[in-house]
Each structure stands twice: as structure tokens, then as C-alpha cells.
Amino acid sequence: MKFNALRYLILPWFVLFCSIIAALVLDGTVIRFLPFVYEYYLALIGAGAAICLYFNFRTLTKAGIWIAYSLPTYLRTNPWWWFARAAVAIAFAYIIYGMGKADWAPVVWQAAVIPVVSMICLFFAIRSLMGPVLVWCSRVAFSRISAFILSWPIFLLVPIVALFLGRTISTAYRESRPDFAFSQRTLIPSEESDQASSSEEATSAHAIQASSPIAIELKNAVESGESCNDKNKLVQRTLTAQGDADSVYWAIKAVGCTEMKSVVGLPKLADIMLKHPNSVVRAAAISQMMKFGAANVKQIGYLLVKRITDKEPLPVIEASSLVMLKLGEEERAWVSKRLTNLLDTPKTSALASKILVSELKKEDVVNNFVATNLSVESSEKDLAISMVCSLPEKARHFNEEQINVIVASIKTGDADDPAVKALECLGPVGLTALQKEIFAPQQTDKSLAARAFAEVEWKDSKSVLETASSCVHDKENGVREWCSQALGQSGAPAIPNILKLLKSDDETMKAVATRALSFVDDPAAKDKLMEERSKNSGWMANKKNLEWARAIDHALVNMEVSQH
């Protein structure tokens, strides 16, 4: 009775091969294994290989010296043909793999054709190599030991190829279904964004966070919305110019819910206003003074008006001005005079112009300053530019030369640049000025103009879309990048233009489209993007389709994160 040693030698390795691929495919598609599996996966594969070797040893023991008995007779006389068969099988598998790298090859090629063909060619090659090995070993002493040792390098191909093919199938699955990767990736970022947003809310809710026990106690009392007169003594003790910033700040806030008398509270607030090192605490003390009535605050008005100077921090200047404006006409006149004197100081000009216009209705003063200094020769043109936004919309009328001065004063091009802010406040006029500079620069570098154009949220979305769609074709890389950002920020109306660029044969335009997609944050665009992603994914999608789908998928991920 013949015992087919070659068949039983290959069988356990075939089982190991299938097991590795099944595990990798399951892990990459529907389930996640325990952490130790990922940490020790090589050891697990090694254990599987050891089991296969054990069965190989048993097979060779059972076959004895007749290990080549079941092989064809012609193999014993001419083994070279079997080596040639192995080479042909390996070459064929490589050709199929290479074809899978072509742009036209659909995902199913990587997911099914390459694995199936590679598996068949692998075991065909192993069988073709092991045949001559068994024939040669049957002719020498220690035939079983020789066959056992010589088979190791050949069978070592099994786990290596299995790892490669399993990952290839998993990758193909994810590429065929970008929504699978989308759901996996958005889980953690959304949680992080929730935490980040809650942290931002906590930071923006109060200027100074409560960290000390006293500050936390007082903060809770303030935010309860009820009377906190039982904290009166604690508040009085804490209201000191030498206290910690958070404790003193929340003690000042707590003054509002106590019944503290003005003879006690007002001097303490005045002392904090004059001596505390933290400007936010000082500003809070000034703002809380009105708790004790305008008549009482008037008595220390001379101290408040002295705070309206360029030597003081901006929060203190603003708080002092707003409190003084509530005390009467005489105090309003003092504030107006002080703020007018601060217009020509870089540190205070923007704040002074804002209060003069919004609170004192002195837009004529600010307008005269801006009109006088908005020229190329003026040393105070930067101050005038910083005041443009404080003017009422009806007063923002400038000639072409003045607008050119603003454009020429762009320094960084970001949203905080005073010149960019001024152009934004000018609305359509500012937008037109930047559009001219992007296509025919005269006053500034067109990359700076493009950045300013992208950093501002313009109201004329149609004009922005037309400009962005055109300037993304600019020769300068910097201009293209900023214009692609503006194109993406245009939202749903820009999607057809972006997709057209994405499907272009020009790699530069593809890069522009991909960047534009990363800035899309319009919920109205989501359905269109998901539809386009679905069209360009799936088992029959090719390399180009998958590139488009991945770019769209990244945009959807960014949208999901930003919405959380």
C-alpha cells in the first residue's frame, strides 16, 4: 500500500496557511482580537509552524525509507522538470500580482484574484520543490532526517506568504468600503473633540478658573443664582489685593450676591483696582463697583479716570471707561477726552476707537482720525487701519488710494492681521481689492493677498467661489494652496468644481482638490460627498476611483470631527 508522504507533508501547512489568512481577514473586517493576540502574533504563528513540523516528523517516520515510493517514476530519473514547474508557478503568481498594481485593476483583483492565484501557485511550487527533495533524500542515509531538515526553508514560505496575502485582502476590503474606515476613525476623534469643546467652554465661561478651595466654594455660590449672604464674611476676608488671583476674582463676583455695605465693599474693590497684580482681577473689581450705586462710585471717580491711560492694561481701561460712562455727563466728557488722547497710541488705539464709537457715539472723531492718517506718508496709518472696523458701516467710505494703503499694509495675511480685518469690515470693497491683487498684484504679494482672501469669511459666496475656482490654477504654489482653502470653505456649491479637479489627470490639480476637500465643513455637502464616495468605491473600483474615494473619505472624517 502506497503512503503519499508528499501530500501529508503539505496538508498541515495548508491548514496553517488558511488559518492565518482567516484570522487577518476577520481582524481587518468585522472583529478585533484581544490585545495579547496583536502583541504575540509572531509567537502564535511560530507555535503553528512548530505543530506543522511535528506532523511532518510523524509523516516522515511513518513513511520510513519509502518516502519517495508514491511519487511518479519519471521524477526519480529527471527531477529538473519539477524545478521548472516551481519556477513557472512563482513567475505566474508574480505576473498576476504585478497586474494588480496597474491603474485599471479593480479592488477585487487584490481581494480575490491575487490571493487565490498566489495560494495555488504557492502550494504547486512547494509540491514541485519537495518532490525532488524526497527523491534525493530516499537515496542517502538518514533519509527522514535529511528530508525533515531540507523541508524547513521551503515550508517557511507558507506563513510569510499567508501574512502578506491576509493583509492584502484586509487592505482591499477597507479600500472597497471607505465608510468602514470612516466609522472606525471617527470614534476616537469625536470623543477627543467632545473633551476639547467642554474644555473650551469652561475656559471661555470665566476669565479666571477656580482652582483653590476658596475660589471653588465662591464660584459655586455665584453660579447657584441664589443669595450668598452666608458667605459675606468669607468674601470680605478674601477681598484683598494680596490674595491669589482665582480666590480674589471669585470673591469679587460673589459681592453681587451678598448684602455687603458700600463702606466695606467699595474701599476693598478700590484697593484691589489699584494694587492687585492681575489685570483681569482689577478689571473685575472695577466692573463690580456699580453694585454699590452710582452716587457712591462717583466719590472715587477721580481714581477711575486715572485708569484710562496707556500705562494701564487694556481690560482695566475698558472696565474703567464703561463704569465712568454710567456716572453722568461730566464723567462721560472725561472719558471722551481721555479716549481721544489714546487714539494715537498703538497699544490703546483699537480699544479707544471702539468705545468712542459704540458707547459715546463719537464716530466723527474716529472717522476724522482714520481719514487723516490713512495715507502712505502717515506714520500712524497702522493705527488708522486698526480703527476701520470700529466705524459704523455707513461711515466706511474710502477712496481707491486709501484702500490701496490698507492692502499694502498686509503683513501676515492671517485673520488677525489689522489690514485683513479692515478689508473684511469693508465687505465687497475689500473683497474686490484682494481679488485684484491675486490676479494682478500691485500693492502686495499675491500669496499674501490669497491668504487674506482665504482667511476671511466673506458674505459674497458666489464671488468667492468664482475667484477661488479660478486662482487654484495659478502658477505659484502658495496661491494655489490658499485658493484651494477658500474653495473648500465655499462648501456645497464648490463640490462640483472640486470633484472636477480631483478627477483631473494633472497631479497638481488633484493635490489642490484634495486640499480643498479637507476644508469642506458644510453639512449640505455631506450627502453629495457620500454619494460620490459610494460611486468610486466597491469591489470593482480601480486605483483612480479609490484615490478619489479616499480623498472624499478624509473630508467626511474632518466634517464629522468638527461637528462634534
Side-chain angles (χ1 to χ4, degrees):
M1 177 179 176
K2 292 184 178 181
F3 179 74
N4 196 324
L6 183 57
R7 179 185 302 166
Y8 287 101
L9 285 172
I10 294 175
L11 183 59
W13 293 98
F14 180 76
V15 174
L16 177 64
F17 179 88
C18 294
S19 300
I20 293 173
I21 288 186
L24 289 173
V25 171
L26 288 174
D27 175 60
T29 55
V30 294
I31 66 170
R32 299 291 290 176
F33 294 116
L34 295 175
F36 81 88
V37 176
Y38 302 103
E39 187 174 356
Y40 300 107
Y41 76 97
L42 289 177
L44 293 172
I45 292 174
I51 294 172
C52 291
L53 290 172
Y54 167 75
F55 280 107
N56 282 172
F57 186 79
R58 287 189 60 183
T59 298
L60 291 171
T61 301
K62 186 176 181 179
I65 62 173
W66 307 102
I67 55 176
Y69 182 76
S70 60
L71 295 176
T73 304
Y74 69 87
L75 175 60
R76 302 174 190 177
T77 57
N78 186 19
W80 298 109
W81 167 239
W82 281 50
F83 286 119
R85 292 198 317 177
V88 170
I90 293 172
F92 183 71
Y94 183 78
I95 291 172
I96 296 298
Y97 175 76
M99 292 172 66
K101 293 295 182 181
D103 290 345
W104 56 264
V107 180
V108 71
W109 196 278
Q110 284 83 21
V113 176
I114 290 177
V116 170
V117 171
S118 297
M119 179 185 69
I120 294 172
C121 290
L122 171 67
F123 285 99
F124 186 82
I126 289 174
R127 185 175 184 275
S128 298
L129 291 173
M130 282 300 298
V133 168
L134 294 181
V135 169
W136 180 81
C137 291
S138 66
R139 297 172 181 171
V140 299
F142 306 104
S143 58
R144 287 166 293 181
I145 297 299
S146 300
F148 184 70
I149 293 174
L150 291 176
S151 66
W152 288 7
I154 298 173
F155 285 122
L156 187 61
L157 291 172
V158 172
I160 294 174
V161 175
L163 283 171
F164 173 75
L165 294 179
R167 288 167 180 166
T168 299
I169 296 171
S170 298
T171 301
Y173 176 81
R174 287 192 293 270
E175 287 180 342
S176 71
R177 294 190 53 199
D179 56 310
F180 173 82
F182 170 77
S183 63
Q184 296 295 311
R185 286 198 301 267
T186 55
L187 179 60
I188 295 176
S190 65
E191 292 174 353
E192 291 176 349
S193 62
D194 289 341
Q195 294 173 1
S197 61
S198 62
S199 175
E200 289 173 4
E201 290 172 2
T203 303
S204 61
H206 305 289
I208 297 180
Q209 293 299 298
S211 56
S212 65
I214 293 176
I216 294 172
E217 181 180 354
L218 293 174
K219 177 186 177 183
N220 293 335
V222 171
E223 294 182 344
S224 68
E226 300 175 356
S227 173
C228 59
N229 205 43
D230 58 324
K231 308 288 184 185
N232 202 341
K233 291 184 179 180
L234 175 61
V235 172
Q236 288 185 36
R237 288 197 306 270
T238 311
L239 284 175
T240 170
Q242 290 75 39
D244 294 333
D246 64 336
S247 299
V248 177
Y249 178 84
W250 286 105
I252 294 169
K253 292 292 184 180
V255 169
C257 61
T258 64
E259 296 177 4
M260 189 181 298
K261 295 182 179 180
S262 61
V263 293
V264 177
L266 196 55
K268 285 182 174 291
L269 292 177
D271 188 51
I272 293 170
M273 172 188 71
L274 296 172
K275 299 178 181 178
H276 201 281
N278 189 293
S279 61
V280 176
V281 172
R282 294 175 63 200
I286 295 169
S287 300
Q288 195 65 273
M289 288 178 179
M290 292 304 294
K291 154 79 175 176
F292 302 108
N296 290 319
V297 178
K298 268 190 174 186
Q299 297 177 17
I300 59 169
Y302 68 97
L303 293 176
L304 286 170
V305 77
K306 288 182 179 180
R307 308 281 74 78
I308 308 175
T309 171
D310 60 352
K311 296 179 181 178
E312 293 285 356
L314 294 181
V316 173
I317 298 173
E318 183 173 14
S320 301
S321 300
L322 296 179
V323 169
M324 288 288 289
L325 292 175
K326 298 175 183 177
L327 300 181
E329 290 302 319
E330 184 179 1
E331 286 77 12
R332 290 177 68 88
W334 292 351
V335 173
S336 177
K337 184 177 180 181
R338 288 268 182 166
L339 291 176
T340 302
N341 292 334
L342 294 179
L343 285 176
D344 58 358
T345 304
K347 171 184 171 182
T348 57
S349 58
L351 176 62
S353 63
K354 173 187 171 184
I355 298 175
L356 282 169
V357 172
S358 61
E359 302 295 334
L360 287 163
K361 309 304 178 187
K362 297 280 187 179
E363 57 262 20
D364 55 330
V365 175
V366 178
N367 200 7
N368 289 335
F369 184 92
V370 174
T372 302
N373 294 285
L374 204 58
S375 64
V376 178
E377 295 80 13
S378 174
S379 60
E380 296 178 338
K381 66 179 179 181
D382 289 340
L383 301 182
I385 290 171
S386 69
M387 297 178 192
V388 169
C389 290
S390 64
L391 291 171
E393 191 172 345
K394 61 182 181 181
R396 298 171 191 163
H397 299 297
F398 303 106
N399 58 41
E400 185 177 355
E401 181 183 351
Q402 291 172 321
I403 293 173
N404 287 340
V405 170
I406 297 175
V407 173
S409 300
I410 297 176
K411 294 180 174 61
T412 63
D414 62 28
D416 293 327
D417 190 321
V420 176
K421 286 184 176 180
L423 291 170
E424 180 181 8
C425 292
L426 291 176
V429 176
L431 174 59
T432 301
L434 285 176
Q435 288 170 330
K436 289 180 180 178
E437 292 299 313
I438 292 172
F439 296 108
Q442 297 292 328
Q443 308 300 326
T444 188
D445 180 75
K446 63 179 180 179
S447 291
L448 271 179
R451 179 176 184 180
F453 169 70
E455 292 283 321
V456 173
E457 217 175 298
W458 303 100
K459 294 181 180 179
D460 190 354
S461 57
K462 182 178 179 181
S463 179
V464 170
L465 177 58
E466 291 175 354
T467 302
S469 299
S470 179
C471 65
V472 292
H473 297 278
D474 194 272
K475 294 181 180 179
E476 287 191 19
N477 183 53
V479 176
R480 290 197 303 272
E481 286 190 358
W482 292 113
C483 288
S484 65
Q485 176 177 327
L487 184 62
Q489 290 169 345
S490 298
I495 296 301
N497 294 2
I498 295 174
L499 293 178
K500 184 177 179 180
L501 292 172
L502 187 65
K503 296 178 180 180
S504 168
D505 292 331
D506 189 340
E507 293 299 324
T508 301
M509 290 300 101
K510 286 183 181 179
V512 164
T514 301
R515 178 175 166 80
L517 281 171
S518 69
F519 287 96
V520 175
D521 193 21
D522 183 1
K526 187 173 182 179
D527 289 342
K528 177 63 178 175
L529 289 176
M530 293 184 74
E531 178 186 352
E532 194 67 25
R533 182 185 64 183
S534 178
K535 286 181 182 178
N536 290 285
S537 55
W539 292 117
M540 298 310 297
N542 59 29
K543 187 176 179 180
K544 286 186 177 181
N545 297 136
L546 293 175
E547 286 179 357
W548 304 337
R550 276 194 291 269
I552 294 170
D553 184 51
H554 290 161
L556 290 168
V557 171
N558 291 336
M559 289 174 63
E560 186 75 14
V561 171
S562 64
Q563 290 170 11
H564 282 77

